[in-house]
Amino acid sequence: MSTEEFAALARLAEERVDHRFKGLPPDADGLTVGELAAQRRNLFTGGFSTPVLALSAERLEHNLALMETYATRHGLAFAPHGKTSMAPQLFRRQLDRGAWGITLAVPHQVRVARAYGVRRIFLANEVVDPAALRWMSAELDADPGFRLVCYVDSVRGVQLMDAALRGAARPLDVVVELSAGDGARTGVRTREEGAAVADAVAAVPTLRLVGVAGYEGEVPGADPERVHAWLRRLVALAAGFDGAGRFAGVEEIVVSAGGSAWFDTVADVFAAVPELSLPVLKLLRSGAYVSHDDGHYRKLTPFNRVPGEGALRPAFRLWTQVVSRPSPDQAFVNAGKRDAAYDLDLPFAQVIRRDGRERPATGVSLTALSDQHAWLRTTDEADLEVGDWVGLGLSHPCTSFDKWPLIPLAEADGTVIDYIRTYF
């Protein structure tokens, strides 16, 4: 880490705690984040107010180590998708764990990563906004060590990019995005469309074609056979471009795919990439692994199919408090849509905490969310009282990080050792 990067991250600890950050101890107002972290307060007895989202220090470390090992074992470069957390502290930990760089989705996210010294960025999206393109070009011109790669999928897009980038000292590296199929998201649909886009890139001095990419999670009716077939199309597109001499003047050919549901299939197909005229950077972009979850990704993770490779651990828990028990079969806790991800699954009642003791949330289920309340259904087995803390598991890490600008990083006994700052 450079001196500048270290200084930028250190400044995170200098931010003052105040009303902007929900869940933190009211008596901590005015302290810096670093001063509060140094106090090592306990999440349950240190003055934190509910609802409060906590990230498990041990599970976070486990997940970081597991994906580092997985990528290394399968000969993959790893650029985890930073849109999941938008947390520079986690970007740094991913890079320290051997990540090639960080994947991002929009220019604003690139600005965040650059503010904290990220030197390699894979922008998994098309960019045609001239102001954003000019800013990215200025970053490239100002820093010879900075590398940025982004998608392109149309001749018109190439024309707009070229118009915005004229006069740049360095060309912008691009990869042709291959669509996952008819009716799927962005990307060229056919090999002929891809060739036309590649020809358009070759015709302008402001862009440089360095590879191909796409997102297998958009394959219609995705299953192992369909995802394998699409990934083979992606590899064939790269091989075809190489055979036609479209990568002249580059140091390596980028072939990139990989969300959080099919990275085992990506590893299988990328292991069989044929020998090309240049070294191939096989770039995996999975991002949700960093915190994992208790719902969507717990069901979809490839580690369910390859248990011998390890298992990710859900690292988030949203702590709430029972504020109303209006009937024997109903209770309400003080967290709702403003606090919990609900775009893929509702949260899950996992544990109840009373008088310093935790037990499973037997007989308690979450049925709905209002803006600031969660609706709980309780059976005769449930032992639940007003004032009890209820720990909720969450689904979809991206939306969970999105709702909390400063997240306590807590050890298993509740000791908060740091605070993770997010920028959405």
Side-chain angles (χ1 to χ4, degrees), residues 208-225:
R208 183 175 76 150
L209 183 67
V210 299
V212 300
Y215 174 48
E216 74 290 341
E218 283 284 309
V219 170
D223 61 24
E225 183 178 351

mmCIF file with all atom_site columns, all heavy atoms in Angstrom, residues 208-225:
data_model
loop_
_atom_site.group_PDB
_atom_site.id
_atom_site.type_symbol
_atom_site.label_atom_id
_atom_site.label_alt_id
_atom_site.label_comp_id
_atom_site.label_asym_id
_atom_site.label_entity_id
_atom_site.label_seq_id
_atom_site.pdbx_PDB_ins_code
_atom_site.Cartn_x
_atom_site.Cartn_y
_atom_site.Cartn_z
_atom_site.occupancy
_atom_site.B_iso_or_equiv
_atom_site.pdbx_formal_charge
_atom_site.auth_seq_id
_atom_site.auth_comp_id
_atom_site.auth_asym_id
_atom_site.auth_atom_id
_atom_site.pdbx_PDB_model_num
ATOM 1   N N   . ARG A 1 208 ? -8.751  0.792   -26.850 1.00 0.00 ? 208 ARG A N   1
ATOM 2   C CA  . ARG A 1 208 ? -7.900  -0.357  -27.152 1.00 0.00 ? 208 ARG A CA  1
ATOM 3   C C   . ARG A 1 208 ? -8.643  -1.624  -26.742 1.00 0.00 ? 208 ARG A C   1
ATOM 4   O O   . ARG A 1 208 ? -9.034  -1.770  -25.573 1.00 0.00 ? 208 ARG A O   1
ATOM 5   C CB  . ARG A 1 208 ? -6.574  -0.244  -26.391 1.00 0.00 ? 208 ARG A CB  1
ATOM 6   C CG  . ARG A 1 208 ? -5.588  -1.353  -26.705 1.00 0.00 ? 208 ARG A CG  1
ATOM 7   C CD  . ARG A 1 208 ? -4.257  -1.127  -26.028 1.00 0.00 ? 208 ARG A CD  1
ATOM 8   N NE  . ARG A 1 208 ? -4.291  -1.423  -24.599 1.00 0.00 ? 208 ARG A NE  1
ATOM 9   C CZ  . ARG A 1 208 ? -3.253  -1.866  -23.889 1.00 0.00 ? 208 ARG A CZ  1
ATOM 10  N NH1 . ARG A 1 208 ? -2.073  -2.038  -24.500 1.00 0.00 ? 208 ARG A NH1 1
ATOM 11  N NH2 . ARG A 1 208 ? -3.357  -2.077  -22.597 1.00 0.00 ? 208 ARG A NH2 1
ATOM 12  N N   . LEU A 1 209 ? -8.849  -2.530  -27.668 1.00 0.00 ? 209 LEU A N   1
ATOM 13  C CA  . LEU A 1 209 ? -9.539  -3.786  -27.369 1.00 0.00 ? 209 LEU A CA  1
ATOM 14  C C   . LEU A 1 209 ? -8.582  -4.746  -26.666 1.00 0.00 ? 209 LEU A C   1
ATOM 15  O O   . LEU A 1 209 ? -7.528  -5.078  -27.202 1.00 0.00 ? 209 LEU A O   1
ATOM 16  C CB  . LEU A 1 209 ? -10.065 -4.427  -28.657 1.00 0.00 ? 209 LEU A CB  1
ATOM 17  C CG  . LEU A 1 209 ? -10.875 -5.717  -28.458 1.00 0.00 ? 209 LEU A CG  1
ATOM 18  C CD1 . LEU A 1 209 ? -12.187 -5.429  -27.734 1.00 0.00 ? 209 LEU A CD1 1
ATOM 19  C CD2 . LEU A 1 209 ? -11.148 -6.392  -29.805 1.00 0.00 ? 209 LEU A CD2 1
ATOM 20  N N   . VAL A 1 210 ? -8.978  -5.196  -25.456 1.00 0.00 ? 210 VAL A N   1
ATOM 21  C CA  . VAL A 1 210 ? -8.101  -6.083  -24.688 1.00 0.00 ? 210 VAL A CA  1
ATOM 22  C C   . VAL A 1 210 ? -8.740  -7.420  -24.349 1.00 0.00 ? 210 VAL A C   1
ATOM 23  O O   . VAL A 1 210 ? -8.082  -8.281  -23.759 1.00 0.00 ? 210 VAL A O   1
ATOM 24  C CB  . VAL A 1 210 ? -7.618  -5.401  -23.384 1.00 0.00 ? 210 VAL A CB  1
ATOM 25  C CG1 . VAL A 1 210 ? -6.818  -4.147  -23.697 1.00 0.00 ? 210 VAL A CG1 1
ATOM 26  C CG2 . VAL A 1 210 ? -8.787  -5.089  -22.455 1.00 0.00 ? 210 VAL A CG2 1
ATOM 27  N N   . GLY A 1 211 ? -10.025 -7.620  -24.704 1.00 0.00 ? 211 GLY A N   1
ATOM 28  C CA  . GLY A 1 211 ? -10.610 -8.904  -24.363 1.00 0.00 ? 211 GLY A CA  1
ATOM 29  C C   . GLY A 1 211 ? -12.107 -8.945  -24.528 1.00 0.00 ? 211 GLY A C   1
ATOM 30  O O   . GLY A 1 211 ? -12.718 -8.126  -25.232 1.00 0.00 ? 211 GLY A O   1
ATOM 31  N N   . VAL A 1 212 ? -12.708 -9.921  -23.847 1.00 0.00 ? 212 VAL A N   1
ATOM 32  C CA  . VAL A 1 212 ? -14.155 -10.142 -23.874 1.00 0.00 ? 212 VAL A CA  1
ATOM 33  C C   . VAL A 1 212 ? -14.626 -10.415 -22.453 1.00 0.00 ? 212 VAL A C   1
ATOM 34  O O   . VAL A 1 212 ? -13.854 -10.840 -21.591 1.00 0.00 ? 212 VAL A O   1
ATOM 35  C CB  . VAL A 1 212 ? -14.534 -11.322 -24.793 1.00 0.00 ? 212 VAL A CB  1
ATOM 36  C CG1 . VAL A 1 212 ? -14.081 -11.069 -26.222 1.00 0.00 ? 212 VAL A CG1 1
ATOM 37  C CG2 . VAL A 1 212 ? -13.954 -12.628 -24.264 1.00 0.00 ? 212 VAL A CG2 1
ATOM 38  N N   . ALA A 1 213 ? -15.920 -10.185 -22.230 1.00 0.00 ? 213 ALA A N   1
ATOM 39  C CA  . ALA A 1 213 ? -16.458 -10.404 -20.884 1.00 0.00 ? 213 ALA A CA  1
ATOM 40  C C   . ALA A 1 213 ? -17.967 -10.547 -20.955 1.00 0.00 ? 213 ALA A C   1
ATOM 41  O O   . ALA A 1 213 ? -18.600 -10.290 -21.985 1.00 0.00 ? 213 ALA A O   1
ATOM 42  C CB  . ALA A 1 213 ? -16.079 -9.240  -19.960 1.00 0.00 ? 213 ALA A CB  1
ATOM 43  N N   . GLY A 1 214 ? -18.546 -10.927 -19.850 1.00 0.00 ? 214 GLY A N   1
ATOM 44  C CA  . GLY A 1 214 ? -19.994 -11.032 -19.733 1.00 0.00 ? 214 GLY A CA  1
ATOM 45  C C   . GLY A 1 214 ? -20.365 -11.542 -18.363 1.00 0.00 ? 214 GLY A C   1
ATOM 46  O O   . GLY A 1 214 ? -19.505 -11.765 -17.495 1.00 0.00 ? 214 GLY A O   1
ATOM 47  N N   . TYR A 1 215 ? -21.664 -11.729 -18.166 1.00 0.00 ? 215 TYR A N   1
ATOM 48  C CA  . TYR A 1 215 ? -22.188 -12.134 -16.858 1.00 0.00 ? 215 TYR A CA  1
ATOM 49  C C   . TYR A 1 215 ? -23.122 -13.325 -17.030 1.00 0.00 ? 215 TYR A C   1
ATOM 50  O O   . TYR A 1 215 ? -24.227 -13.187 -17.551 1.00 0.00 ? 215 TYR A O   1
ATOM 51  C CB  . TYR A 1 215 ? -22.915 -10.966 -16.200 1.00 0.00 ? 215 TYR A CB  1
ATOM 52  C CG  . TYR A 1 215 ? -23.610 -11.305 -14.903 1.00 0.00 ? 215 TYR A CG  1
ATOM 53  C CD1 . TYR A 1 215 ? -22.949 -12.017 -13.903 1.00 0.00 ? 215 TYR A CD1 1
ATOM 54  C CD2 . TYR A 1 215 ? -24.921 -10.907 -14.681 1.00 0.00 ? 215 TYR A CD2 1
ATOM 55  C CE1 . TYR A 1 215 ? -23.587 -12.332 -12.719 1.00 0.00 ? 215 TYR A CE1 1
ATOM 56  C CE2 . TYR A 1 215 ? -25.566 -11.210 -13.485 1.00 0.00 ? 215 TYR A CE2 1
ATOM 57  C CZ  . TYR A 1 215 ? -24.893 -11.921 -12.509 1.00 0.00 ? 215 TYR A CZ  1
ATOM 58  O OH  . TYR A 1 215 ? -25.535 -12.237 -11.325 1.00 0.00 ? 215 TYR A OH  1
ATOM 59  N N   . GLU A 1 216 ? -22.644 -14.478 -16.604 1.00 0.00 ? 216 GLU A N   1
ATOM 60  C CA  . GLU A 1 216 ? -23.397 -15.717 -16.797 1.00 0.00 ? 216 GLU A CA  1
ATOM 61  C C   . GLU A 1 216 ? -24.653 -15.806 -15.929 1.00 0.00 ? 216 GLU A C   1
ATOM 62  O O   . GLU A 1 216 ? -25.548 -16.615 -16.188 1.00 0.00 ? 216 GLU A O   1
ATOM 63  C CB  . GLU A 1 216 ? -22.493 -16.927 -16.517 1.00 0.00 ? 216 GLU A CB  1
ATOM 64  C CG  . GLU A 1 216 ? -22.189 -17.179 -15.045 1.00 0.00 ? 216 GLU A CG  1
ATOM 65  C CD  . GLU A 1 216 ? -21.290 -16.142 -14.406 1.00 0.00 ? 216 GLU A CD  1
ATOM 66  O OE1 . GLU A 1 216 ? -20.602 -15.412 -15.141 1.00 0.00 ? 216 GLU A OE1 1
ATOM 67  O OE2 . GLU A 1 216 ? -21.289 -16.070 -13.167 1.00 0.00 ? 216 GLU A OE2 1
ATOM 68  N N   . GLY A 1 217 ? -24.757 -14.953 -14.917 1.00 0.00 ? 217 GLY A N   1
ATOM 69  C CA  . GLY A 1 217 ? -25.941 -14.970 -14.066 1.00 0.00 ? 217 GLY A CA  1
ATOM 70  C C   . GLY A 1 217 ? -27.201 -14.548 -14.789 1.00 0.00 ? 217 GLY A C   1
ATOM 71  O O   . GLY A 1 217 ? -28.304 -14.769 -14.299 1.00 0.00 ? 217 GLY A O   1
ATOM 72  N N   . GLU A 1 218 ? -27.049 -13.931 -15.985 1.00 0.00 ? 218 GLU A N   1
ATOM 73  C CA  . GLU A 1 218 ? -28.205 -13.502 -16.770 1.00 0.00 ? 218 GLU A CA  1
ATOM 74  C C   . GLU A 1 218 ? -28.632 -14.544 -17.801 1.00 0.00 ? 218 GLU A C   1
ATOM 75  O O   . GLU A 1 218 ? -29.584 -14.314 -18.553 1.00 0.00 ? 218 GLU A O   1
ATOM 76  C CB  . GLU A 1 218 ? -27.887 -12.190 -17.485 1.00 0.00 ? 218 GLU A CB  1
ATOM 77  C CG  . GLU A 1 218 ? -27.927 -10.973 -16.602 1.00 0.00 ? 218 GLU A CG  1
ATOM 78  C CD  . GLU A 1 218 ? -29.357 -10.550 -16.284 1.00 0.00 ? 218 GLU A CD  1
ATOM 79  O OE1 . GLU A 1 218 ? -30.173 -10.407 -17.214 1.00 0.00 ? 218 GLU A OE1 1
ATOM 80  O OE2 . GLU A 1 218 ? -29.649 -10.380 -15.091 1.00 0.00 ? 218 GLU A OE2 1
ATOM 81  N N   . VAL A 1 219 ? -27.958 -15.686 -17.860 1.00 0.00 ? 219 VAL A N   1
ATOM 82  C CA  . VAL A 1 219 ? -28.346 -16.714 -18.826 1.00 0.00 ? 219 VAL A CA  1
ATOM 83  C C   . VAL A 1 219 ? -29.794 -17.135 -18.563 1.00 0.00 ? 219 VAL A C   1
ATOM 84  O O   . VAL A 1 219 ? -30.126 -17.536 -17.440 1.00 0.00 ? 219 VAL A O   1
ATOM 85  C CB  . VAL A 1 219 ? -27.415 -17.940 -18.735 1.00 0.00 ? 219 VAL A CB  1
ATOM 86  C CG1 . VAL A 1 219 ? -27.961 -19.107 -19.553 1.00 0.00 ? 219 VAL A CG1 1
ATOM 87  C CG2 . VAL A 1 219 ? -26.012 -17.578 -19.217 1.00 0.00 ? 219 VAL A CG2 1
ATOM 88  N N   . PRO A 1 220 ? -30.680 -17.029 -19.550 1.00 0.00 ? 220 PRO A N   1
ATOM 89  C CA  . PRO A 1 220 ? -32.077 -17.420 -19.322 1.00 0.00 ? 220 PRO A CA  1
ATOM 90  C C   . PRO A 1 220 ? -32.190 -18.892 -18.919 1.00 0.00 ? 220 PRO A C   1
ATOM 91  O O   . PRO A 1 220 ? -31.566 -19.766 -19.524 1.00 0.00 ? 220 PRO A O   1
ATOM 92  C CB  . PRO A 1 220 ? -32.732 -17.177 -20.696 1.00 0.00 ? 220 PRO A CB  1
ATOM 93  C CG  . PRO A 1 220 ? -31.860 -16.154 -21.356 1.00 0.00 ? 220 PRO A CG  1
ATOM 94  C CD  . PRO A 1 220 ? -30.466 -16.481 -20.902 1.00 0.00 ? 220 PRO A CD  1
ATOM 95  N N   . GLY A 1 221 ? -32.976 -19.136 -17.862 1.00 0.00 ? 221 GLY A N   1
ATOM 96  C CA  . GLY A 1 221 ? -33.145 -20.508 -17.385 1.00 0.00 ? 221 GLY A CA  1
ATOM 97  C C   . GLY A 1 221 ? -31.838 -21.136 -16.958 1.00 0.00 ? 221 GLY A C   1
ATOM 98  O O   . GLY A 1 221 ? -31.603 -22.339 -17.181 1.00 0.00 ? 221 GLY A O   1
ATOM 99  N N   . ALA A 1 222 ? -30.977 -20.350 -16.308 1.00 0.00 ? 222 ALA A N   1
ATOM 100 C CA  . ALA A 1 222 ? -29.614 -20.797 -15.996 1.00 0.00 ? 222 ALA A CA  1
ATOM 101 C C   . ALA A 1 222 ? -29.601 -22.138 -15.265 1.00 0.00 ? 222 ALA A C   1
ATOM 102 O O   . ALA A 1 222 ? -30.288 -22.326 -14.264 1.00 0.00 ? 222 ALA A O   1
ATOM 103 C CB  . ALA A 1 222 ? -28.906 -19.739 -15.167 1.00 0.00 ? 222 ALA A CB  1
ATOM 104 N N   . ASP A 1 223 ? -28.840 -23.053 -15.791 1.00 0.00 ? 223 ASP A N   1
ATOM 105 C CA  . ASP A 1 223 ? -28.518 -24.319 -15.149 1.00 0.00 ? 223 ASP A CA  1
ATOM 106 C C   . ASP A 1 223 ? -27.098 -24.667 -15.590 1.00 0.00 ? 223 ASP A C   1
ATOM 107 O O   . ASP A 1 223 ? -26.523 -23.976 -16.449 1.00 0.00 ? 223 ASP A O   1
ATOM 108 C CB  . ASP A 1 223 ? -29.530 -25.419 -15.494 1.00 0.00 ? 223 ASP A CB  1
ATOM 109 C CG  . ASP A 1 223 ? -29.604 -25.737 -16.985 1.00 0.00 ? 223 ASP A CG  1
ATOM 110 O OD1 . ASP A 1 223 ? -28.623 -25.477 -17.729 1.00 0.00 ? 223 ASP A OD1 1
ATOM 111 O OD2 . ASP A 1 223 ? -30.647 -26.245 -17.434 1.00 0.00 ? 223 ASP A OD2 1
ATOM 112 N N   . PRO A 1 224 ? -26.480 -25.693 -15.008 1.00 0.00 ? 224 PRO A N   1
ATOM 113 C CA  . PRO A 1 224 ? -25.076 -25.962 -15.356 1.00 0.00 ? 224 PRO A CA  1
ATOM 114 C C   . PRO A 1 224 ? -24.827 -26.118 -16.855 1.00 0.00 ? 224 PRO A C   1
ATOM 115 O O   . PRO A 1 224 ? -23.834 -25.612 -17.385 1.00 0.00 ? 224 PRO A O   1
ATOM 116 C CB  . PRO A 1 224 ? -24.774 -27.254 -14.593 1.00 0.00 ? 224 PRO A CB  1
ATOM 117 C CG  . PRO A 1 224 ? -25.665 -27.166 -13.381 1.00 0.00 ? 224 PRO A CG  1
ATOM 118 C CD  . PRO A 1 224 ? -26.937 -26.546 -13.884 1.00 0.00 ? 224 PRO A CD  1
ATOM 119 N N   . GLU A 1 225 ? -25.725 -26.802 -17.549 1.00 0.00 ? 225 GLU A N   1
ATOM 120 C CA  . GLU A 1 225 ? -25.508 -27.023 -18.982 1.00 0.00 ? 225 GLU A CA  1
ATOM 121 C C   . GLU A 1 225 ? -25.580 -25.714 -19.764 1.00 0.00 ? 225 GLU A C   1
ATOM 122 O O   . GLU A 1 225 ? -24.718 -25.433 -20.608 1.00 0.00 ? 225 GLU A O   1
ATOM 123 C CB  . GLU A 1 225 ? -26.564 -28.004 -19.511 1.00 0.00 ? 225 GLU A CB  1
ATOM 124 C CG  . GLU A 1 225 ? -26.385 -28.348 -20.981 1.00 0.00 ? 225 GLU A CG  1
ATOM 125 C CD  . GLU A 1 225 ? -27.401 -29.362 -21.471 1.00 0.00 ? 225 GLU A CD  1
ATOM 126 O OE1 . GLU A 1 225 ? -28.132 -29.931 -20.623 1.00 0.00 ? 225 GLU A OE1 1
ATOM 127 O OE2 . GLU A 1 225 ? -27.474 -29.581 -22.693 1.00 0.00 ? 225 GLU A OE2 1
#
